[in-house]
């Protein structure tokens, strides 16, 4: 019921079949990486992230303060969540532990959260699951161009208070939390 897709390209024609298939499977939540081209994908799209698909969450990589991490794409209308995705412990191709960064490492964190929520609430449809994930995010604050940590979510609080001032591009920030 949840599919992680940490890839994309600049060619919408290469992703038409994906968009058609995703729209035909509303019972699946597609968690998609926003990409790592360090650009506003509202203005210069990356696909499939730029497609408007109701059962899809688009994830960018954030630093610890909610700002787009170096290299991460963003988009006020396209990116649903910014998720810490920097210096994630992974196993390298050689089998050794290493660190990796980017939207491709932020998106699986949301996929894991979705799987845990579905394990607890197997009756939830995709819209409820997507809403529950977004409700656990806080918005990043900006004060004179300096980013401050967004409100941390807790198991006791499903909806975080919204901050006073937001940057023009700011999607919600999902901070690490395991239910």
């Amino acid at each position: 019921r949840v599919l992680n897709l940490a890839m994309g390209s600049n060619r919408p024609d290469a992703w038409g079949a994906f968009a058609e298939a995703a729209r035909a499977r509303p019972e699946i939540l597609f968690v998609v990486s926003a990409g790592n081209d360090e650009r506003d994908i509202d203005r210069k799209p990356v696909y499939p992230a730029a497609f408007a698909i109701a059962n899809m969450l688009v994830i960018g990589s954030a630093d610890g303060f909610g700002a787009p991490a170096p290299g991460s794409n963003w988009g006020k209308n396209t990116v649903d969540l910014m998720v810490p995705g920097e210096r994630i412990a992974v196993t390298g191709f050689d089998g050794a532990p290493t660190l990796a960064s980017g939207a491709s490492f932020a998106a699986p964190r949301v996929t894991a959260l979705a799987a845990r929520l579905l394990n607890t609430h197997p009756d939830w449809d995709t819209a409820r699951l997507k809403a529950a994930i977004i409700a656990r995010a806080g918005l990043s604050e900006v004060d004179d161009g300096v980013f401050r940590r967004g409100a941390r979510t807790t198991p006791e609080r499903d909806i975080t208070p919204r901050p006073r001032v937001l940057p023009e591009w700011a999607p919600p920030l999902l901070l690490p939390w395991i239910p």
Side-chain angles (χ1 to χ4, degrees), residues 25-107:
R25 301 300 304 238
E27 73 280 6
I28 297 175
L29 178 63
F30 293 85
V31 181
V32 176
S33 164
N36 300 297
D37 304 303
E38 202 164 19
R39 69 184 193 217
D40 180 346
I41 62 173
D42 288 345
R43 296 177 188 191
K44 190 172 179 188
V46 169
Y47 299 92
F51 289 128
I53 300 173
N55 54 320
M56 184 169 79
L57 277 172
V58 178
I59 311 301
S61 181
D63 65 15
F65 298 98
S72 183
N73 291 343
W74 67 91
K76 181 179 179 181
N77 300 309
T78 308
V79 177
D80 296 302
L81 296 170
M82 298 299 290
V83 177
E86 300 303 296
R87 302 184 50 79
I88 304 295
V90 299
T91 301
F93 292 110
D94 61 357
T98 189
L99 299 175
S101 298
S104 295
F105 298 94

Side-chain angles (χ1 to χ4, degrees), residues 142-147:
V142 172
D143 185 10
D144 296 328
V146 178
F147 293 92

